[in-house]
Amino acid sequence: MFPANFGYVAARSVEDALQLMAKHGEDGKLLAGGHSLIPAMKLRLQSPQTLIDLGTVPGLRGVSIDGNSLVIGALTVHADVASSELVRKHVPALAEAAAMIGDVQVRNRGTIGGSVAHADPAADLPVVLTSLNASFVAQSVSGKRAIGVDDFFTDFYTTALNANEILTEIRVPIPAAGTGTAYVKLPHPASGYVVVSAAAVITRQASGTCTASRIAIGGLGSGPIRAIATELGLQGKPLTTQTIAAAAAKAAEETDPVEDSYAGAEYKRDVATVYARKAIEAAVERAKN
Ligand SMILES: Cc1cc2nc3c(=O)[nH]c(=O)nc-3n(C[C@H](O)[C@H](O)[C@H](O)COP(=O)(O)OP(=O)(O)OC[C@H]3O[C@@H](n4cnc5c(N)ncnc54)[C@H](O)[C@@H]3O)c2cc1C
């Protein structure tokens, strides 16, 4: 399979990329790792006339700390997120999710920014970043703005990014002491993409009571969904096996999963409750340390 003919230009800076986007308009498309865009071009689902490569732009790759946040450059590849000492220390769920993406080749080329901008409903990182209450910094010629994760994923393959914006960094609040994070997924046996996945962020007092929780589920909708009933079922409660199981049983409430040849809606809802429980239990264990 070959894509339609296209032009290519390597941007030298974010400002240069923004100018190139303005010049090419709807005919131009940003290129990061190319691991979603190029397959889409080969299938002729997308046929941009010019690719504007961000891979050569300095300063968009790496993980650092700014105040109470981890800052991850949009061009950071999945393998670097998975192996980052900062990510593994502060938000192990994110390292866990990045390590589960595709295969070695995909993890060495695909980027966190490309993954969230593409917003595939079967992607891993949107789910875990939802549980972590991440925000996304978008830059245009008018300046920068931050978009909270609950407003970012708006539909299938659609985000709150405007056509004239580049995602430059992802900011992840460093969880408070006594917080554990975890991510689990049921991968599709052929593609490895998410059938259903669950991410949990749980804050636990020394007494064993849950003081805060964010639970996100993947595979049930057009993007990650917050399992609000599950979150409420944990908050202020002792984190016992019974409380966790009862809360997790509500993880798929009021969802209408898309059926496919591999998994029906009822199956996905059932798996969501099981995987929510697994993620919460793993996060609670980490919160104890
Ligand atoms: C064989 C295979 C298996 C895979 N398995 C999984 C999996 O198990 N789980 C999973 O989550 N994903 C999986 N993926 C997808 C992979 O994670 C991609 O790397 C990712 O979805 C896109 O990242 P990219 O850097 O390759 O982006 P690209 O393909 O370069 O770009 C994707 C889209 O995002 C836009 N974009 C990119 N960067 C920016 C930016 N900084 N600002 C604004 N827009 C931007 C592009 O214009 C394009 O529309 C798989 C891919 C392949 C090929």
Side-chain angles (χ1 to χ4, degrees):
M1 279 188 292
F2 297 97
N5 284 339
F6 60 88
Y8 170 92
V9 55
R12 287 163 305 189
S13 63
V14 173
E15 291 71 22
D16 186 34
L18 288 169
Q19 279 178 16
L20 289 164
M21 286 163 76
K23 177 179 166 193
H24 292 284
E26 288 185 355
D27 296 331
K29 193 89 185 148
L30 292 174
L31 175 71
H35 270 59
S36 290
L37 180 55
I38 302 296
M41 289 169 63
K42 287 181 173 178
L43 293 167
R44 308 288 167 116
L45 297 171
Q46 302 213 36
S47 297
Q49 286 178 17
T50 304
L51 292 183
I52 301 163
D53 193 355
L54 292 174
T56 43
V57 173
L60 289 182
R61 189 166 167 167
V63 183
S64 58
I65 290 193
D66 179 21
N68 268 342
S69 296
L70 276 187
V71 181
I72 306 171
L75 266 283
T76 309
V77 297
H78 307 317
D80 289 349
V81 174
S83 63
S84 159
E85 284 304 319
L86 288 174
V87 174
R88 291 160 74 101
K89 177 179 173 197
H90 294 291
V91 281
L94 180 55
E96 223 156 45
M100 289 182 201
I101 294 174
D103 53 28
V104 173
Q105 187 183 5
V106 175
R107 292 194 292 275
N108 281 332
R109 289 292 303 172
T111 67
I112 186 169
S115 175
V116 297
H118 188 59
D120 188 323
D124 292 279
L125 298 182
V127 184
V128 69
L129 290 169
T130 297
S131 73
L132 292 167
N133 201 15
S135 60
F136 303 87
V137 178
Q139 188 168 337
S140 69
V141 287
S142 326
K144 292 184 180 181
R145 69 179 178 124
I147 308 164
V149 71
D150 290 337
D151 298 321
F152 188 78
F153 298 104
T154 53
D155 207 342
F156 292 96
Y157 301 99
T158 311
T159 71
L161 286 172
N162 293 322
N164 64 346
E165 289 179 319
I166 295 174
L167 177 65
T168 55
E169 63 191 32
I170 292 96
R171 299 182 73 92
V172 179
I174 294 176
T179 302
T181 72
Y183 178 74
V184 291
K185 94 163 157 178
L186 175 68
H188 189 287
S191 72
Y193 276 93
V194 167
V195 176
V196 172
S197 70
V201 178
I202 306 285
T203 307
R204 176 186 180 276
Q205 277 179 336
S207 64
T209 300
C210 174
T211 52
S213 61
R214 271 181 80 99
I215 314 294
I217 310 289
L220 298 187
S222 62
I225 58 156
R226 289 267 303 280
I228 301 285
T230 303
E231 293 177 4
L232 295 175
L234 297 170
Q235 289 163 15
K237 309 256 173 53
L239 287 163
T240 60
T241 308
Q242 293 77 5
T243 312
I244 292 170
K250 299 176 181 171
E253 261 184 12
E254 294 178 28
T255 62
D256 188 15
V258 178
E259 308 218 14
D260 56 44
S261 56
Y262 180 71
E266 202 50 43
Y267 174 71
K268 285 189 175 184
R269 274 194 288 265
D270 278 350
V271 175
T273 64
V274 175
Y275 276 63
R277 180 174 53 71
K278 286 175 188 255
I280 296 164
E281 286 172 349
V284 169
E285 276 310 304
R286 287 184 176 150
K288 290 178 185 169
N289 299 321

